[in-house]
Amino acid sequence: MTCLGCNLAHKKIPAHVVFENDYVSCILDHDPYNEGHVLIVTKKHYEDMDELDAETASYCFQAARVISKAVKTLYKPDGITICQNGGVFSELSHFHMHIVPRYKQQAFAAFYLGDPFDNEHLRNKLLETQTDLKAAIQEINDNL
């Protein structure tokens, strides 16, 4: 597979998976905006949202719902932004959604401008974040 998104979704390259099923792989962003920044990547190759079949779209939003609950529980953000960048704005050329915990004092423009984040400390603890999120997601799924 030459598609980065497909390679991530199918674990052909290293990724910090926090949840997966037959339709999606949910991984920590390798360059997180905040702790708990997750990408929901479809396992089947799609480039844009309008290409998704109804079942895959449903699983994307179910995953977003559960991950949002887990992120709120663990990190107590002031809010969460869920976004999807398509076309030339998609860095993966593969459908994915961002779940981004946000805090009042942060200007979110840097997320879209590509400005570097001061996040080395977050990159250094991806394994810890993965462990925490996996446990929180499992607990939520067990109670559904």
Side-chain angles (χ1 to χ4, degrees):
M1 293 181 188
T2 59
C3 170
L4 178 58
C6 287
N7 285 330
L8 287 167
H10 294 281
K11 298 185 256 183
K12 302 285 185 190
I13 56 177
H16 292 90
V17 178
V18 296
F19 174 78
E20 70 178 327
N21 60 31
D22 291 340
Y23 296 88
V24 297
S25 184
C26 305
I27 62 175
L28 295 178
D29 193 299
H30 76 283
D31 193 23
Y33 187 74
N34 282 316
E35 188 169 16
H37 180 170
V38 174
L39 300 180
I40 299 172
V41 183
T42 58
K43 288 200 172 176
K44 184 175 177 185
H45 182 80
Y46 298 100
E47 288 192 25
D48 289 311
M49 182 174 279
D50 60 338
E51 297 172 4
L52 298 177
D53 62 71
E55 198 168 27
T56 301
S58 177
Y59 278 103
C60 287
F61 281 89
Q62 289 175 39
R65 185 175 135 261
V66 170
I67 291 167
S68 293
K69 284 183 182 190
V71 165
K72 285 179 180 180
T73 299
L74 288 173
Y75 306 111
K76 312 287 190 247
D78 295 319
I80 292 177
T81 293
I82 299 174
C83 60
Q84 190 277 320
N85 302 309
V88 299
F89 303 105
S90 174
E91 292 180 3
L92 296 181
S93 297
H94 182 108
F95 179 84
H96 65 287
M97 294 170 51
H98 291 262
I99 310 294
V100 185
R102 303 235 346 253
Y103 301 91
K104 288 180 188 177
Q105 74 277 11
Q106 294 177 309
F108 200 59
F111 182 82
Y112 289 103
L113 296 174
D115 293 343
F117 314 132
D118 179 19
N119 66 355
E120 184 176 348
H121 64 289
L122 297 177
R123 289 192 310 268
N124 290 334
K125 63 185 288 190
L126 287 173
L127 190 57
E128 179 184 335
T129 303
Q130 177 188 25
T131 300
D132 293 345
L133 264 175
K134 281 176 82 168
I137 290 166
Q138 184 63 53
E139 184 173 333
I140 290 165
N141 281 330
D142 287 347
N143 292 317
L144 289 179

